Amino acid sequence: MPLRRSIFAPEMWYEKLARPLFFHLEPEAAHYAAMDLLAAAWRVPGGRGTLKGLFSAEPAPALAVNAFGLKFPHPVGLAAGFDKDARWVDPLAALGFSFIEIGTVTPKAQPGSPKPRLFRLPEDQALINRMGFNNQGAAAAAEKLRRKKSNVIIGGNIGKNKDTPNDRAEEDYRAAFRVLHPVVDYFVVNVSSPNTPGLRELQNREPLTALLNTLHQDNRDWPFTRPILLKIAPDLSEHQLDDIAALIAETRTDGLVCTNTTISRDGLRSSQETLTACGAGGLSGEPLRIRANEIIRYLRRKTGPALPIIGVGGIRHAGHVREKLAAGANLVQVYTGFIYEGPGMVSNIVRELSRNKT
């Protein structure tokens, strides 16, 4: 369970004041407003230290995680989708994230799906999005990362442009890989978003094996290699998960991210009228938590103890992190829970995990 919070704690101000104000705005507008406000606070004299003092906790040494050749100070990172273009890496790092995954980044800039494309389901502590890989392109993201000041670990989540047919998807992944290779610490191959038409077909064994083998070959052409991970959907069958486990071993891919958003709407508290108004898209947050845990547990059994797994889905407090770790994850990522819980979320989780490790 989460730590008991003082009424003077920063997260209480978020819950009682900031979040209600932001939730009066359209979700995508609120996202940019909140992040621009955080970035402005980070830029003012003394702002960096103030943010770290308010929202960052020193993790216990026992929380450090070694995975795919990198050392993480604690297991909690930020999932892809939150900072698609690496616009806010430094301010977000000041909130205490162990690592930040940017993207999904495509080779060319693209506007994404028509707005509105992001929807809140407060009754379910969830979001529905059909953003459609809106981003400024790989070159723009790389330039921002060259200017970052923090030493936070950066993941590069890469995908294909919407107008690129699947038989040429490999070219897009390779192009984004080449541009981001010098400025990220690891890669995540995203073939599991439900919001790019046909993308999930690339999860089939033959095209996915070819794609991963090609990226590993490109990786070996550099004087230094980057870990390559695969992000999978929560809607895969047991047979498909078996295929994933087999091809991970066959291609010697460095890890898994479990999971992306789901197209399922099962068990939601939100009304059918609300869901119809939201329309299509990927569901994230609390309703995904149990399914993500099940997939992590299944793939841990199938892949053995050595393969690093990043667990994603429904995390709001330290108890949820422990669930993912107990299921077999080495690291975790947050997104939807961060929106609902606010900027003190990571420090609260780290403090509670540290308390049990000292």
Side-chain angles (χ1 to χ4, degrees):
M1 295 296 293
L3 291 170
R4 182 173 295 179
R5 300 172 298 172
S6 162
I7 60 170
F8 301 106
E11 63 270 18
M12 290 297 288
W13 287 100
Y14 179 80
E15 179 181 323
K16 302 300 184 184
L17 179 62
R19 186 174 67 193
L21 290 174
F22 286 129
F23 275 34
H24 275 295
L25 298 175
E26 185 273 330
E28 191 170 351
H31 177 73
Y32 283 96
M35 292 312 303
D36 287 343
L37 185 63
L38 177 66
W42 184 83
R43 285 193 298 266
V44 300
R48 302 176 195 182
T50 300
L51 287 174
K52 288 182 179 180
L54 288 172
F55 298 118
S56 185
E58 188 67 29
L63 289 183
V65 178
N66 291 297
F68 41 87
L70 299 172
K71 184 172 183 178
F72 300 80
H74 61 78
V76 185
L78 182 65
F82 196 93
D83 189 5
K84 292 176 180 290
D85 294 304
R87 292 177 59 171
W88 306 299
V89 164
D90 288 325
L92 286 166
L95 302 185
F97 287 103
S98 178
F99 60 109
I100 294 170
E101 193 171 303
I102 67 154
T104 295
V105 176
T106 55
K108 297 180 294 185
Q110 61 180 27
S113 305
K115 297 178 182 181
R117 55 195 180 183
L118 181 63
F119 308 89
R120 303 184 193 97
L121 300 179
E123 292 180 60
D124 293 288
Q125 294 282 295
L127 298 173
I128 290 174
N129 92 82
R130 52 173 176 272
M131 302 301 289
F133 289 175
N134 57 305
N135 73 108
Q136 297 172 353
E143 182 56 34
K144 291 181 180 68
L145 289 175
R146 288 188 191 97
R147 298 198 301 264
K148 78 178 178 72
K149 310 234 183 286
S150 66
N151 60 358
V152 66
I153 293 171
I154 298 293
N157 186 299
I158 56 175
K160 78 175 187 73
N161 283 107
K162 181 179 179 180
D163 59 0
T164 301
N166 276 4
D167 60 4
R168 297 184 61 188
E170 193 176 285
E171 299 172 22
D172 275 15
Y173 285 92
R174 296 180 73 188
F177 186 84
R178 285 193 300 271
V179 173
L180 292 177
H181 198 280
V183 291
V184 301
D185 298 294
Y186 71 91
F187 280 96
V188 174
V189 178
N190 186 357
V191 291
S192 51
S193 169
N195 300 317
T196 295
L199 184 74
R200 286 190 168 191
E201 295 171 11
L202 296 175
Q203 290 180 117
N204 294 333
R205 185 164 184 170
E206 186 176 344
L208 186 52
T209 300
L211 173 59
L212 291 173
N213 278 333
T214 298
L215 291 176
H216 282 296
Q217 180 58 56
D218 287 354
N219 205 17
R220 289 190 290 270
D221 290 340
W222 289 78
F224 50 91
T225 60
R226 302 294 191 195
I228 298 173
L229 286 71
L230 173 68
K231 187 167 189 175
I232 63 170
D235 309 307
L236 298 176
S237 68
E238 200 167 279
H239 173 71
Q240 289 172 309
L241 292 174
D242 290 342
D243 277 349
I244 291 290
L247 73 86
I248 287 292
E250 179 184 336
T251 61
R252 298 186 179 182
T253 293
D254 298 288
L256 285 166
V257 181
C258 305
T259 64
N260 214 318
T261 58
T262 179
I263 58 175
S264 171
R265 300 293 186 265
D266 293 342
L268 296 180
R269 296 185 179 90
S270 300
S271 69
Q272 188 57 53
E273 181 182 6
T274 297
L275 297 176
T276 300
C278 294
L283 175 74
S284 62
E286 173 62 28
L288 184 58
R289 180 169 60 86
I290 300 302
R291 177 57 178 162
N293 293 348
E294 290 171 350
I295 289 180
I296 293 165
R297 193 173 294 111
Y298 186 86
L299 285 170
R300 175 55 71 209
R301 290 199 304 268
K302 287 290 180 177
T303 61
L307 183 77
I309 296 176
I310 300 177
V312 196
I315 294 171
R316 299 195 319 278
H317 55 70
H320 293 157
V321 174
R322 293 191 193 101
E323 283 182 358
K324 293 281 188 292
L325 300 180
N330 305 85
L331 301 161
V332 301
Q333 292 176 330
V334 300
Y335 180 163
T336 303
F338 182 50
I339 291 172
Y340 281 94
E341 298 296 322
M345 176 189 183
V346 178
S347 61
N348 282 339
I349 290 174
V350 170
R351 287 190 189 99
E352 187 167 348
L353 294 177
S354 294
R355 187 177 61 172
N356 294 333
K357 288 286 188 179
T358 55

